[in-house]
Amino acid sequence: MSDRSYRRPRVLSQLREHLRDTFWFAPTAGLVCVLVLWGAAAELDAEIISSLQDQQEYEIIEDLIELANDAKTIVTTISSAMMTFIGVVFSISLVAVQMASGQLTPRVVRIFVRSRITKATFSVFLATFLLSLLVLTSFESKTDPRLVTSVPFVQGVLTMVMVGLSMLLFIAFVTSMLRLMQVGPVVDRIAREAMHAVVRQPGGEREPAPLAAESAWVPYNGRAGVLRDVNVARLVRIARRQGVVLRLIPRIGDFVVPGTPMLAVHGTGELSRRALSYTVSVGVERTFHQDLGFGLRQLSDIALRALSAAVNDPTTAVQCLDRIVQFLTVVARKPLGAVHHRDGNGEVRLVQDVPGWTDLVDLALAEVRLHSAGNPQVSRRLLAGIDDLLLIAPGERKEPLIRHRALLVQAVERAVPEAAEREFALLPDRQGIG
């Protein structure tokens, strides 16, 4: 069995992750919310005026009219300046993202798209602009307290609150953009998302039960692209209803084309291809949702770019190796291999292949090792990381680590002919060259 109790996947987890990878949902939701708030505030303003007129408190109504007229100038200024402000913020975003993608990897654009601060800032800015326009429509030309039907006092206060919130979010947004242009925070963000993927991923079976004979396979019939994730809850429900076990043939992150096998059916139950609609998600890029190796792929890409002759930034490569070692340390004792998703009765209904320990070690170390032979800072950090992992990894998982260590030593011996320099480059150091 797995190393922990199985937790059934949430039905809406896939939808939530897909919405986080979009940039339109949060601003659209913000605009809808501000429409509802404005409607409630306008109704409240009308109720206040109606109540005061019933009580014949005309002096108070005149004071509210004067306050509203004073606020009208401010609201007009806000409505005219907010779109300019949004344009400035968008320009800052494009510059920050361009610098980060050029310095690190183009895949950091995904961090910007998924940033809650970025989405909240744009949502509140657009909502404030829309609210100011709506409030301007609520002003009446009548000044007689006996004839007015509404004075946008509450609406004006709500607009001021939105402006204050916009200022606070702008400060947070600029701080977030500055962090996006720094190597450390970006690498830390990638590592944290990779750790979350590990936590969400059920452990592999130590002694998996044998599957029934394969009776059929279901081809993929959508558009070509990267397999981002699968709707585990839906597939488990379909397999339970038909009395079969499904096996996902490609791994998450594989590029799939129409006509290739997607699901293997184990058992004698009949399976409708139509029932499998909306069970797999294919896109143009990989995501962290169910992809165990995507974090290592990004960290390795950043390290490789840093080690290129054009950049020559070994310190950034060492920072990536710090996080790579951290990730491998977390999964060193985790059961890997095929994941068995179970139904409510504990029966296996979906088998999903995930990268094994050797796959993850090769992904994390192979390319960086090939480009680190002539750089003592990186070779020393890589050796120290491998030595630390050898102390943690179980005996059956030491082989790929020993292999990469031996290959690194051989590469350094070929690249560095001087004995003293070679000895220095092969001295393990957790800081590279501290």
Side-chain angles (χ1 to χ4, degrees):
M1 297 296 293
S2 61
D3 61 330
R4 63 178 184 176
S5 60
Y6 179 76
R7 294 185 303 175
R8 297 183 66 188
R10 297 176 180 177
V11 177
L12 297 179
S13 62
Q14 187 181 28
L15 176 61
R16 181 188 60 191
E17 288 297 320
H18 289 181
L19 290 179
R20 287 193 64 189
D21 285 330
T22 64
F23 202 78
W24 61 267
F25 179 75
T28 303
L31 294 178
V32 173
C33 290
V34 82
L35 280 172
V36 175
L37 284 176
W38 172 75
E43 186 67 24
L44 182 58
D45 282 328
E47 289 292 333
I48 292 174
I49 296 301
S50 177
S51 177
L52 291 175
Q53 287 174 342
D54 292 341
Q55 300 174 15
Q56 296 185 353
E57 298 287 351
Y58 299 119
E59 292 183 359
I60 298 178
I61 297 176
E62 289 178 351
D63 293 337
L64 290 178
I65 292 174
E66 291 180 1
L67 287 174
N69 289 332
D70 293 337
K72 183 176 182 180
T73 304
I74 300 176
V75 174
T76 303
T77 304
I78 292 171
S79 63
S80 61
M82 189 54 67
M83 284 306 296
T84 303
F85 199 42
I86 293 174
V88 171
V89 172
F90 189 68
S91 299
I92 294 174
S93 305
L94 290 180
V95 172
V97 171
Q98 185 178 12
M99 292 182 63
S101 61
Q103 180 184 2
L104 303 175
T105 172
R107 276 157 288 281
V108 300
V109 177
R110 185 175 178 274
I111 297 178
F112 169 79
V113 173
R114 288 174 63 90
S115 171
R116 290 187 175 93
I117 290 295
T118 302
K119 293 178 180 178
T121 302
F122 277 88
S123 300
V124 172
F125 281 9
L126 290 173
T128 303
F129 173 70
L130 177 60
L131 179 61
S132 63
L133 295 180
L134 294 173
V135 172
L136 287 176
T137 64
S138 299
F139 285 95
E140 298 181 0
S141 58
K142 302 175 184 177
T143 58
D144 189 342
R146 296 175 180 82
L147 300 178
V148 295
T149 59
S150 177
V151 177
F153 174 74
V154 176
Q155 299 173 61
V157 173
L158 180 60
T159 304
M160 295 301 105
V161 172
M162 293 292 292
V163 170
L165 181 59
S166 298
M167 296 300 100
L168 293 176
L169 284 175
F170 179 69
I171 296 173
F173 173 77
V174 172
T175 303
S176 176
M177 287 298 100
L178 291 176
R179 289 176 60 84
L180 183 61
M181 292 186 289
Q182 297 174 334
V183 176
V186 171
V187 171
D188 176 71
R189 174 66 179 272
I190 294 173
R192 283 190 286 113
E193 292 202 18
M195 297 302 171
H196 291 162
V198 173
V199 172
R200 290 192 299 262
Q201 185 72 53
E205 301 282 335
R206 296 185 184 277
E207 297 180 359
L211 299 177
E214 180 179 329
S215 58
W217 57 267
V218 180
Y220 173 65
N221 58 3
R223 64 174 183 174
V226 176
L227 180 61
R228 300 192 302 177
D229 53 32
V230 296
N231 193 327
V232 174
R234 181 175 172 83
L235 286 173
V236 168
R237 186 167 60 249
I238 293 172
R240 181 189 61 201
R241 187 163 57 243
Q242 301 298 328
V244 298
V245 178
L246 300 177
R247 178 171 56 85
L248 186 66
I249 297 176
R251 285 181 180 176
I252 302 297
D254 286 356
F255 190 87
V256 295
V257 296
T260 57
M262 176 61 68
L263 290 166
V265 182
H266 295 263
T268 57
E270 296 182 359
L271 191 65
S272 170
R273 295 185 181 182
R274 189 174 182 181
L276 296 177
S277 302
Y278 308 107
T279 56
V280 297
S281 174
V282 174
V284 295
E285 285 188 321
R286 298 165 66 176
T287 68
F288 277 103
H289 184 208
Q290 298 175 358
D291 197 336
L292 201 61
F294 188 43
L296 288 178
R297 178 69 275 163
Q298 291 190 74
L299 292 172
S300 179
D301 287 346
I302 296 174
L304 292 175
R305 178 166 295 198
L307 291 175
S308 65
V311 178
N312 194 20
D313 183 11
T315 303
T316 295
V318 169
Q319 288 180 282
C320 293
L321 283 173
D322 293 339
R323 300 299 181 174
I324 288 174
V325 173
Q326 177 190 3
F327 180 90
L328 293 178
T329 301
V330 171
V331 301
R333 297 183 179 274
K334 180 181 176 68
L336 299 172
V339 175
H340 292 65
H341 299 281
R342 302 174 182 272
D343 60 17
N345 298 324
E347 296 291 332
V348 175
R349 293 301 180 186
L350 175 65
V351 179
Q352 178 183 353
D353 189 22
V354 299
W357 170 251
T358 301
D359 299 324
L360 294 175
V361 171
D362 291 341
L363 173 60
L365 304 181
E367 294 174 303
V368 179
R369 170 178 56 77
L370 289 173
H371 292 81
S372 63
N375 196 307
Q377 182 178 357
V378 181
S379 63
R380 287 159 61 101
R381 177 64 186 100
L382 188 53
L383 286 170
I386 293 176
D387 290 344
D388 290 339
L389 290 170
L390 284 171
L391 296 175
I392 299 172
E396 67 275 10
R397 293 189 172 181
K398 293 182 184 293
E399 186 278 329
L401 297 171
I402 295 174
R403 171 167 53 85
H404 280 286
R405 196 185 196 286
L407 291 173
L408 177 59
V409 172
Q410 295 174 10
V412 172
E413 289 176 347
R414 290 193 301 268
V416 184
E418 296 82 1
E421 293 288 347
R422 185 167 58 249
E423 182 180 357
F424 178 78
L426 293 176
L427 182 64
D429 187 342
R430 290 190 179 90
Q431 296 185 18
I433 300 178

